[in-house]
Amino acid sequence: MLHYQFSIFDLYPYIFLFVIFFISLHLEKQLGGIIIFIALLLFSGLRYNVGWDYESYVKVIVGDISKIHDSRYEPISRIIFLLGNLINFYPFVFITYSTLTLFIVHKTISKYSLDPVISWIVFFSLPLFFLASLSTIRQSLATSIIFFSYSYLKEKKVLIFLMFIIIASLIHYSAVFGIFLLPLSKIPIGRWTNLFLLIISFFVGSIVENIINLIQSDLSIFKVLQFYLKADYKSSTILQYIYYTIGIINLIFYKKLVQVDSNSSKFITITNFGLIFYNLLSFEPVSAGRISAFFLIFWILLIPQYLNFFKQTDRVLVKIFTLGFCILISLSYLYLYINAYKANILEKISFFPYKTWINNL
């Protein structure tokens, strides 16, 4: 039985963000990026019961402290939850994850993005990133750390990179997949090889499923992987076609992207392997999305490179078009959630209604 009726007014917080994005397009790049960062930080840090796992996390934080000690959470995540319990202020956990996640993304965007505003818009609109961070708070923080760690590979500081992989894994075990950034950043893989590997990946998912199910290990990483792989989750396939389209477009314009920025070849390879991992785990969509996000997040650095294809005088119009397209993606995703809720497929919409903890403690 439905206990919540969606209203068009529930979209206002998201429309407010869209207005911030539009205004930021007309500001100096770094300033616009900072404004969006602050807006998303406030939206995320102040939220109340927004995100699929929000209520279950709150129950753990305010419950018996022994349950946190005995939980399946990773060591660093367990410490954050314990602190929230000890100070008797559960929003501390969500504020901490939101602040760390967005700040780390902000540092990486500021350092490497051709246009921070476009990067933030892409980060918001593709559900694997910002919207996911409202639910999978541990995974999203780990993803942002892996994203940031690439800078040390670029500077050939492998030991520091490995240190960040370990830290990310202590927040969410699946972050060990970030180790693949090491060979992907070192081994030159061209357009046609990327395309070949992507095509092959569509046919080997069942083999990977059988291998993972056969693994008998007491290592936490395998236990966590098998937990997600055996879970009975459902996920829309519409988004994956959007991801495939972006990946193919990147391969089509491979040479042109590399000509305008040599970093593009690495970003294309890394994100292409995100699609490959998505296909390898396609038998379980939730795991596929979460693990592929470690690599697909580099789209937020790659997509702004397309601005180099246009004259400086045309870029404002291109940015506005990009904003409109990204808004369409995010609204479509929210629409799918609303419809699934109305059809009793989902127990909650997850992103509606938007409330703050200030009035709900």
Side-chain angles (χ1 to χ4, degrees):
M1 181 176 180
L2 299 181
H3 52 83
Y4 165 68
Q5 293 297 321
F6 173 78
S7 165
I8 192 66
F9 295 106
D10 291 326
L11 281 176
Y12 281 3
Y14 296 91
I15 293 174
F16 176 75
L17 288 178
F18 297 152
V19 172
I20 293 294
F21 297 160
F22 181 79
I23 293 173
S24 298
L25 284 175
H26 301 278
L27 302 176
E28 188 274 327
K29 295 176 183 177
Q30 292 296 334
L31 175 61
I34 291 173
I35 289 175
I36 294 177
F37 160 65
I38 294 173
L40 293 181
L41 181 60
L42 291 173
F43 182 96
S44 183
L46 293 176
R47 75 189 191 279
Y48 169 77
N49 199 19
V50 175
W52 186 261
D53 296 331
Y54 192 97
E55 290 179 305
S56 60
Y57 278 137
V58 170
K59 288 180 182 179
V60 173
I61 299 167
V62 302
D64 191 330
I65 196 170
S66 64
K67 292 184 178 180
I68 301 177
H69 283 290
D70 298 333
S71 70
R72 60 181 177 84
Y73 298 151
E74 300 77 3
I76 293 179
S77 289
R78 199 175 299 141
I79 290 172
I80 295 173
F81 276 71
L82 285 171
L83 288 173
N85 180 284
L86 289 173
I87 65 176
N88 194 29
F89 183 61
Y90 73 80
F92 167 83
V93 173
F94 300 100
I95 293 171
T96 299
Y97 277 100
S98 296
T99 301
L100 291 175
T101 299
L102 293 173
F103 179 74
I104 293 170
V105 171
H106 166 66
K107 294 293 291 184
T108 310
I109 286 176
S110 298
K111 187 173 183 179
Y112 290 110
S113 177
L114 171 68
D115 192 304
V117 174
I118 295 298
S119 288
W120 278 114
I121 290 172
V122 173
F123 177 78
F124 175 85
S125 64
L126 295 182
L128 284 176
F129 309 137
F130 178 72
L131 293 178
S133 75
L134 302 179
S135 296
T136 56
I137 57 177
R138 293 151 48 231
Q139 175 101 30
S140 295
L141 177 54
T143 300
S144 70
I145 293 173
I146 288 177
F147 183 48
F148 176 76
S149 72
Y150 175 79
S151 61
Y152 293 99
L153 282 180
K154 186 175 174 59
E155 297 168 5
K156 299 181 179 180
K157 298 178 179 179
V158 177
L159 290 179
I160 298 179
F161 163 77
L162 293 174
M163 179 189 73
F164 276 105
I165 294 298
I166 293 172
I167 292 173
S169 300
L170 294 176
I171 294 171
H172 198 282
Y173 289 124
S174 65
V176 295
F177 278 89
I179 196 68
F180 284 100
L181 285 182
L182 182 57
L184 292 177
S185 68
K186 300 296 183 182
I187 302 173
I189 302 176
R191 174 169 57 179
W192 297 113
T193 303
N194 269 302
L195 179 59
F196 173 76
L197 293 174
L198 178 60
I199 293 173
I200 291 296
S201 68
F202 282 94
F203 303 99
V204 296
S206 59
I207 298 175
V208 176
E209 180 181 13
N210 291 332
I211 291 174
I212 292 177
N213 286 329
L214 287 173
I215 291 176
Q216 299 295 326
S217 174
D218 292 329
L219 292 177
S220 296
I221 179 59
F222 289 116
K223 290 182 177 180
V224 172
L225 281 175
Q226 289 173 344
F227 169 80
Y228 286 118
L229 294 176
K230 293 177 181 178
D232 184 21
Y233 291 120
K234 301 295 182 184
S235 178
S236 169
T237 59
I238 294 177
L239 287 172
Q240 74 186 73
Y241 295 118
I242 294 176
Y243 301 149
Y244 292 143
T245 301
I246 295 173
I248 293 299
I249 290 174
N250 290 335
L251 291 175
I252 290 173
F253 292 102
Y254 183 91
K255 287 186 177 180
K256 199 166 185 179
L257 285 166
V258 173
Q259 285 174 355
V260 296
D261 190 331
S262 59
N263 288 318
S264 295
S265 62
K266 298 298 183 186
F267 294 155
I268 292 173
T269 295
I270 291 170
T271 55
N272 189 62
F273 268 80
L275 294 175
I276 290 171
F277 279 117
Y278 195 101
N279 288 337
L280 295 180
L281 297 174
S282 59
F283 51 86
E284 203 295 278
V286 172
S287 296
R290 291 184 176 190
I291 292 173
S292 65
F294 291 129
F295 309 93
L296 296 182
I297 194 171
F298 285 86
W299 274 340
I300 71 179
L301 299 180
L302 180 62
I303 290 177
Q305 298 291 358
Y306 282 92
L307 292 174
N308 283 317
F309 292 7
F310 302 90
K311 296 179 181 179
Q312 191 70 36
T313 53
D314 297 331
R315 290 185 182 179
V316 173
L317 290 176
V318 174
K319 290 180 182 180
I320 293 175
F321 174 81
T322 302
L323 173 60
F325 181 72
C326 288
I327 288 175
L328 181 62
I329 292 176
S330 54
L331 287 178
S332 298
Y333 180 69
L334 295 175
Y335 175 77
L336 289 174
Y337 255 86
I338 294 169
N339 271 2
Y341 177 76
K342 288 181 176 179
N344 291 321
I345 297 173
L346 296 177
E347 296 178 1
K348 60 184 291 188
I349 300 183
S350 184
F351 305 111
F352 301 106
Y354 181 84
K355 299 178 181 179
T356 68
W357 50 261
I358 294 174
N359 298 321
N360 289 280
L361 286 178

